[in-house]
Amino acid sequence: MSQFWKPGSERPRLVDDGEGGVFFYSATPSSSRFGYASMEKQRQRLPVFKYRTAILYLVENHATTIIVGETGSGKTTQIPQYLKEAGWAEGGRMIACTQPRRLAVQSVASRVAEEMGVKLGEEVGYTIRFEDLTNPDLTRIKFLTDGMLLREMMDDPLLTKYSIIMVDEAHERSVSTDLLFGLLKKIQRRRPDLRLIISSATIEAKTLASFFDTSKKSHVGTDKESEPKKVPAMLSVEGRGFDVEIHYLEESVSDYLQTAVSTVLAIHDQEPAGDILVFLTGQDDIDAAVQLLTEENENHGRHASGLTIVPLYSGLPRAEQDLVFYPTPKGKRKIVISTNIAETSLTLEGVVYVVDSGFSKQRYYNPIADIENLIVAPISKASARQRAGRAGRVRSGKCYRLYTEEYYIKEMMSEGTPEMQRSNLVSCVIQLKALGIDNILGFDWPVLPSPEAIIRALEILYSLDIIDEDAKLTSPTGFQVAEIPMDPMISKMILSASSLGCTEEIITIAAVLSIQSIWVFGRGAQKELDEAKLRFAAAEGDHITYLNIYKGFLHSGKSAQWCHKNFINYQTMKKVIEIREQLKKVLQRMGVSLKSCDGDTNIVRKAVTAGFFAYACRLEAFGPSGLYKTVRSSEDVYIHPSSVLFRKVLMFSYILLSLFWA
DNA sequence: GGCTTTTGT
């Protein structure tokens, strides 16, 4: 362990905006009090209130927007309860609380229902896709995903059902959260009664506060004393996590995988009991590390005996993911080697040591080529802190960063680029249009996407006949596309299918296209997987192959065993069924009849082309590794290795999808 | 020559 040193542990800091007032609150037992100070009085002795009093004072008298800078204190679940007790959920109005993940919505909702002693689904309920556990007559506090609240805005643009909207985990800056911010700011102008509460990791709080600051210099003096201010108030809650000792490398290394493995072995050798969580970038790295450690475990029993090594990434079948939660046998030490799924989505108990490679895979959108890529990139300081924090949940822990402190201080970005700036914007633009925001460039974006990305999105929507020359939604196509909960290209494909007479087939394809992958990536079973694929492969390509798989799945009686045998992810297939059912309902509501083309693949391919013609390519050279060029911009592309057409000699001169840029 | 970080309507 001599390659590491420890300059001391990190502690969360309080936020101080210097304008709308600063609130402090500490959740540590020794000082469970907080203070408030206006700018002038900051250095004076502060009045001290209870947390509840502070929240209510802010919401009722002080500001229309409150930003809670929070470091994993768990205090945010109390806010909706305080607000309800204070009468904010009366007169037919509700309190809405968003989370970026379905699982978080469910668990937070049930925790709050339990704390309030009410039955989940009555006074406290939640709404996520495919599941609505609310009662229109009884529900006062409603938890929902950020994307769900966006959908609700399409029917009720001013969100009149709600008196207060609370957005949690705002620092993650998901596309939906950012879109919500721009829209909520707009709503506030029309609804001065609406209160926003935004909960975020402290480092992001300042940025958000300035975005929501709608006070113009000239208007400052006109605010009446009694009216809540338009300058956001900030409340800072200190976390209850245990201290984490941070260790850095003395010199940077080139091979983080090998360094991660040797660090794990060193911890196991020298440190007391406690599980180890290792953050790597993806499945390849993780499988390689698992193998290296397993070999070490078997060959050098003296150093590495007693290790239970578990990989963790989202592509893993459910049963294998669950291994992570099994209690570690006595005398053994669990090593979890994970992607950043363990950074926010899953919480592992019992972790005391974290090894942070400093890298993760990140989506990167190239608007010129209209292609989303995944690249291994350095993480931000915020991510590094989040990773380190995972070691301090049960007791004080240690985090080993596989980079130098100088690199952390001088070169690491403080925050990552918001997802909005790394994504294709077609879905965003269509949602804004559906809400009547026609001037996309004039929208108050929390982060401005590149002009190229906006232009590309408009161009694609125009080519699909979803928007017209004035960039307004077309009728009925544009409005229908906005109503279908899918990527616009997929929605257009579905609508075309209704006139071609193959909706039954196309909604199956749409469902498969809108989830990650139906295949299981068995470790070391590449051959078997390829063979399984061949059983379903259609000469026409991947879309028709999906139809074959769906048929087979139904024929098996939706059997999990059948999926296992054919290297198909059972969980994913169940999701396909759910999405397909939802699409059916949406189409029926729109008056689109469901028709089957009875296996006429030409009709199906016409519908696919109607949605995805922008990705058309021309075959340039025949052969097992044919070179294609995109029709739109003549860029070189090859067939993606995951396609059933990979390495096949093709007789068509045109092909769609499953292509990747070399 | 050989792929998929992670969410979500």
Side-chain angles (χ1 to χ4, degrees):
Chain A
M1 213 78 86
S2 59
Q3 56 185 340
F4 291 102
W5 67 293
K6 47 167 184 172
S9 62
E10 278 190 313
R11 306 231 67 213
R13 290 201 187 106
L14 298 178
V15 174
D16 168 355
D17 76 339
E19 273 209 66
V22 188
F23 282 74
F24 304 102
Y25 178 80
S26 171
T28 52
S30 55
S31 59
S32 59
R33 292 135 70 89
F34 82 100
Y36 161 68
S38 65
M39 182 170 60
E40 314 83 59
K41 291 186 180 169
Q42 254 174 52
R43 295 218 163 71
Q44 298 175 13
R45 191 73 198 128
L46 312 171
V48 174
F49 309 99
K50 293 242 188 289
Y51 186 54
R52 183 180 189 279
T53 318
I55 297 281
L56 293 181
Y57 170 72
L58 288 175
V59 171
E60 282 161 13
N61 309 304
H62 191 77
T64 51
T65 303
I66 295 96
I67 307 206
V68 182
E70 196 233 7
T71 47
S73 69
K75 283 259 161 199
T76 50
T77 58
Q78 295 179 353
I79 296 177
Q81 300 178 55
Y82 294 154
L83 296 169
K84 203 232 146 218
E85 286 163 22
W88 280 91
E90 279 160 24
R93 289 186 152 186
M94 284 188 284
I95 298 164
C97 308
T98 77
Q99 289 279 342
R101 279 173 292 278
R102 294 161 52 89
L103 205 73
V105 168
Q106 289 173 309
S107 66
V108 172
S110 60
R111 201 159 82 222
V112 169
E114 195 185 332
E115 281 169 16
M116 288 172 61
V118 299
K119 199 176 156 216
L120 188 61
E122 294 183 351
E123 224 171 314
V124 176
Y126 70 83
T127 307
I128 54 182
R129 192 184 192 182
F130 310 129
E131 209 180 333
D132 183 7
L133 217 63
T134 59
N135 179 326
D137 298 324
L138 297 175
T139 303
R140 300 283 176 270
I141 301 176
K142 178 162 148 186
F143 291 88
L144 70 178
T145 45
D146 46 12
M148 202 71 210
L149 191 62
L150 276 178
R151 279 278 143 188
E152 286 194 1
M153 287 182 76
M154 290 197 183
D155 294 325
D156 181 11
L158 293 179
L159 294 171
T160 53
K161 283 189 287 192
Y162 305 108
S163 56
I164 296 194
I165 290 166
M166 178 166 166
V167 179
D168 207 352
E169 309 288 357
H171 58 277
E172 289 187 26
R173 305 303 298 266
S174 71
V175 172
S176 295
T177 297
D178 267 349
L179 216 45
L180 215 45
F181 284 154
L183 293 163
L184 288 172
K185 189 177 171 186
K186 200 174 153 76
I187 291 178
Q188 273 187 316
R189 262 183 270 146
R190 303 270 299 274
R191 282 193 57 193
D193 59 308
L194 182 71
R195 295 290 181 275
L196 299 184
I197 298 177
I198 293 160
S199 150
S200 164
T202 44
I203 35 167
E204 280 272 345
K206 244 181 189 166
T207 323
L208 289 170
S210 69
F211 175 72
F212 278 100
D213 185 351
T214 54
S215 68
K216 298 250 167 69
K217 289 275 179 227
S218 56
H219 290 150
V220 166
T222 64
D223 274 350
K224 278 185 222 151
E225 272 299 307
S226 57
E227 275 177 20
K229 296 188 185 79
K230 288 176 176 172
V231 182
M234 309 239 281
L235 177 69
S236 185
V237 184
E238 205 173 305
R240 56 159 183 213
F242 294 91
D243 284 349
V244 175
E245 210 175 87
I246 309 285
H247 299 249
Y248 293 91
L249 282 182
E250 280 183 337
E251 272 173 52
S252 53
V253 293
S254 55
D255 186 350
Y256 63 78
L257 201 141
Q258 189 56 55
T259 314
V261 168
S262 54
T263 304
V264 166
L265 292 172
I267 294 170
H268 182 54
D269 210 30
Q270 296 164 28
E271 295 287 333
D275 295 342
I276 306 174
L277 172 61
V278 185
F279 284 103
L280 295 180
T281 58
Q283 187 191 342
D284 276 357
D285 278 2
I286 290 168
D287 289 345
V290 167
Q291 204 184 337
L292 282 173
L293 278 169
T294 309
E295 278 166 15
E296 202 68 33
N297 204 10
E298 285 161 2
N299 299 342
H300 308 276
R302 194 171 55 85
H303 284 299
S305 64
L307 293 183
T308 305
I309 304 148
V310 205
L312 178 63
Y313 43 86
S314 88
L316 223 50
R318 187 61 178 276
E320 284 179 59
Q321 262 186 31
D322 285 345
L323 293 177
V324 165
F325 298 108
Y326 285 4
T328 320
K330 247 194 178 155
K332 287 226 168 195
R333 195 200 291 268
K334 195 195 299 181
I335 321 285
V336 177
I337 307 184
S338 173
T339 59
N340 45 12
I341 190 174
E343 201 178 297
T344 48
S345 306
L346 283 179
T347 300
L348 304 170
E349 298 304 329
V351 171
V352 178
Y353 309 97
V354 162
V355 178
D356 171 17
S357 66
F359 289 95
S360 72
K361 282 198 187 177
Q362 287 159 37
R363 180 190 299 144
Y364 170 80
Y365 177 63
N366 172 353
I368 306 297
D370 185 30
I371 273 289
E372 281 180 341
N373 281 316
L374 272 181
I375 53 169
V376 173
I379 60 170
S380 65
K381 284 190 176 104
S383 273
R385 279 197 200 104
Q386 177 73 22
R387 287 179 173 188
R390 295 275 142 171
R393 293 186 60 88
V394 282
R395 60 167 201 257
S396 59
K398 293 182 179 180
C399 174
Y400 299 85
R401 292 179 170 164
L402 305 185
Y403 38 93
T404 64
E405 190 187 26
E406 193 187 7
Y407 171 80
Y408 175 81
I409 294 171
K410 291 189 181 158
E411 290 183 55
M412 249 186 185
M413 305 284 289
S414 59
E415 289 123 42
T417 310
E419 197 188 7
M420 182 82 83
Q421 291 177 321
R422 298 182 282 114
S423 308
N424 172 325
L425 296 177
V426 279
S427 291
C428 277
V429 170
I430 197 88
Q431 291 201 65
L432 290 175
K433 296 273 175 196
L435 291 166
I437 294 160
D438 279 319
N439 182 6
I440 297 296
L441 284 167
F443 179 65
D444 201 348
W445 302 85
V447 284
L448 195 66
S450 72
E452 290 84 2
I454 295 178
I455 289 164
R456 182 69 64 234
L458 290 170
E459 184 190 272
I460 290 168
L461 291 171
Y462 176 70
S463 75
L464 287 163
D465 191 33
I466 291 168
I467 58 174
D468 61 21
E469 295 89 340
D470 302 324
K472 295 210 153 116
L473 283 186
T474 57
S475 182
T477 307
F479 286 94
Q480 287 177 326
V481 164
E483 204 180 327
I484 300 174
M486 295 265 144
D487 180 278
M489 284 188 172
I490 298 180
S491 304
K492 182 61 195 286
M493 171 182 80
I494 295 172
L495 291 175
S496 305
S498 80
S499 41
L500 287 160
C502 59
T503 22
E504 289 280 3
E505 287 80 6
I506 282 294
I507 57 172
T508 304
I509 293 171
V512 177
L513 286 178
S514 63
I515 43 125
Q516 298 126 295
S517 169
I518 52 176
W519 301 108
V520 171
F521 303 105
R523 295 185 302 281
Q526 191 59 50
K527 236 185 211 165
E528 288 90 332
L529 173 58
D530 282 344
E531 281 166 13
K533 267 188 194 170
L534 277 180
R535 288 201 278 279
F536 303 100
E540 293 93 335
D542 297 298
H543 304 91
I544 306 298
T545 304
Y546 297 148
L547 286 180
N548 293 340
I549 293 167
Y550 178 72
K551 256 184 251 163
F553 182 59
L554 289 190
H555 194 253
S556 77
K558 303 179 187 174
S559 145
Q561 252 186 333
W562 180 89
C563 287
H564 188 76
K565 200 178 71 194
N566 290 298
F567 288 80
I568 286 161
N569 190 325
Y570 176 61
Q571 301 295 328
T572 310
M573 281 312 285
K574 283 206 298 194
K575 223 188 262 174
V576 166
I577 302 271
E578 269 186 324
I579 295 173
R580 199 179 177 283
E581 284 307 306
Q582 190 195 21
L583 280 175
K584 226 166 153 173
K585 274 187 214 152
V586 171
L587 291 180
Q588 273 160 358
R589 201 172 58 222
M590 296 190 328
V592 174
S593 59
L594 292 173
K595 281 181 219 143
S596 169
C597 59
D598 298 319
D600 186 339
T601 56
N602 264 333
I603 297 181
V604 175
R605 289 157 77 199
K606 274 185 190 167
V608 173
T609 312
F612 288 89
F613 57 82
Y615 295 155
C617 300
R618 187 185 300 111
L619 181 60
E620 292 287 307
F622 279 96
S625 56
L627 167 70
Y628 295 80
K629 280 184 188 291
T630 59
V631 171
R632 196 174 67 81
S633 51
S634 280
E635 276 176 89
D636 290 357
V637 289
Y638 297 88
I639 295 194
H640 196 277
S642 68
S643 169
V644 294
L645 297 180
F646 184 63
R647 274 185 171 166
K648 298 278 179 300
V649 184
L650 293 169
M651 290 302 127
F652 324 116
S653 62
Y654 284 88
I655 180 155
L656 284 159
L657 286 179
S658 304
L659 295 161
F660 71 110
W661 266 246

